[in-house]
Amino acid sequence: MTTLSTLKKFKREGTKFTCLTCYDAMFARMMDKAKIDTILIGDSLGMVVQGHDSTLPVSVADMAYHTANVARSNKHALILADLPFMSYVTLPEAIANSRQLMQAGAHVIKIEGGSELCDLVSTLAQAGTPTCVHLGLTPQSVNVFGGYKVQGRSDDSADKLLSDAKAVVAAGAALLVLECVPAELAKAVTKAVAVPVIGIGAGADTDGQVLVMHDMLGMVYGRVPRFVHDFLTDERNTEHSIDGAFALYQQSVVEGSFPMQQHQFD
Ligand code: KIV
């Protein structure tokens, strides 16, 4: 079974690891078979499962329901679950909501933001709850950003992202997710912190990679994000099966053939 210690060892050794989003029992079982290292019950379920146009409508009860479904059916992966929009504004509500997700089967709680999360990160760490802090393009702040845009392109925003990353790690964050940031910045953050860093649209130099499961199975309506690769129709998936797609993703990340130059932002 993957633990935080496994991921720290991978980082020390330079072994790349995988993460996929997952929301239900059957896919959780298939990811168990493919030995996907970590699973994220992402609030992206608001879009890919519930049909909303953002993650904002997702509730803590939704997250707990999907976390329990996944946790029952996967024994291999370290399980991360998102605290949804506005569910961690105050410490008491953040603590109560984290408890719900941990009791549903999460091993790590993911939260979006920067150094303003330091109190929460250290409070949860002291209470036996590891956190993963999501930086860069944080979809819960889509209305602040004015759209889903690459973050950290100016010197000031890159400096802020790097200092936020260091601050939350100093406060006790166990993992970081970097979404849609220039590959060079992601590389610098990954080098600067001792904890494993998982990237999505952040280049090849983060310690791990994450994709939304539907995206990597080619289930995308409209514009396909630059960082997505369809592993279902990839010719190396000779069976054209979902099992094969998950196994190919695991293999490609570990051997370093995904992501490639065309998947990253400069
Ligand atoms: O909710 C989600 O799926 C995520 C990933 C895109 C990292 O946060």
Side-chain angles (χ1 to χ4, degrees):
M1 192 202 146
T2 311
T3 63
L4 283 170
S5 309
T6 318
L7 300 185
K8 279 189 208 143
K9 182 165 164 282
F10 284 166
K11 180 167 180 123
R12 279 197 307 274
E13 292 170 345
T15 304
K16 302 287 182 187
F17 64 88
T18 53
C19 182
L20 283 176
T21 67
C22 187
Y23 319 97
D24 72 18
M26 183 54 76
F27 285 115
R29 235 173 246 280
M30 296 170 95
M31 289 183 197
D32 200 293
K33 188 172 162 202
K35 302 245 176 305
I36 299 300
D37 299 300
T38 67
I39 282 179
L40 169 66
I41 296 87
D43 58 359
S44 51
L45 70 84
M47 293 151 108
V48 296
V49 177
Q50 298 175 333
H52 298 294
D53 61 5
S54 77
T55 61
L56 273 54
V58 176
S59 68
V60 176
D62 294 334
M63 293 306 305
Y65 171 79
H66 288 280
T67 300
N69 292 345
V70 169
R72 271 194 288 273
S73 305
N74 187 296
K75 300 299 161 216
H76 177 73
L78 182 79
I79 295 178
L80 283 58
D82 270 330
L83 273 182
F85 179 63
M86 293 286 252
S87 69
Y88 48 103
V89 177
T90 66
L91 271 184
E93 67 186 342
I95 293 165
N97 293 332
S98 300
R99 181 174 59 225
Q100 269 204 59
L101 298 191
M102 294 298 277
Q103 290 179 341
H107 303 127
V108 177
I109 297 297
K110 184 162 84 60
I111 46 185
E112 298 184 4
S115 56
E116 73 282 2
L117 296 173
C118 285
D119 274 357
L120 173 56
V121 165
S122 70
T123 303
L124 289 177
Q126 284 165 42
T129 300
T131 52
C132 172
V133 175
H134 184 155
L135 302 124
L137 171 49
T138 46
Q140 291 173 16
S141 301
V142 60
N143 292 307
V144 176
F145 298 143
Y148 297 97
K149 296 175 185 165
V150 177
Q151 301 295 310
R153 275 193 158 141
S154 69
D155 288 350
D156 282 355
S157 64
D159 288 350
K160 174 159 179 10
L161 195 145
L162 183 57
S163 79
D164 279 346
K166 288 180 182 168
V168 294
V169 170
L175 295 171
L176 301 181
V177 163
L178 294 182
E179 178 166 354
C180 291
V181 298
E184 277 306 310
L185 175 60
K187 184 176 178 178
V189 172
T190 305
K191 260 183 89 173
V193 297
V195 303
V197 178
I198 306 173
I200 175 165
D205 291 311
T206 54
D207 303 302
Q209 295 292 329
V210 58
L211 284 176
V212 171
M213 181 195 78
H214 294 68
D215 289 350
M216 58 81 74
L217 293 176
M219 293 190 273
V220 184
Y221 283 105
R223 194 180 59 83
V224 179
R226 181 186 177 97
F227 50 81
V228 168
H229 178 73
D230 179 349
F231 288 86
L232 186 65
T233 58
D234 188 309
E235 62 184 16
R236 293 170 297 166
N237 177 10
T238 47
E239 298 164 12
H240 295 297
S241 68
I242 294 172
D243 281 331
F246 290 162
L248 180 60
Y249 173 67
Q250 175 72 26
Q251 179 196 326
S252 303
V253 169
V254 171
E255 75 186 14
S257 62
F258 177 82
M260 297 199 293
Q261 184 84 23
Q262 74 255 30
H263 300 118
Q264 72 184 37
F265 300 101
D266 298 317

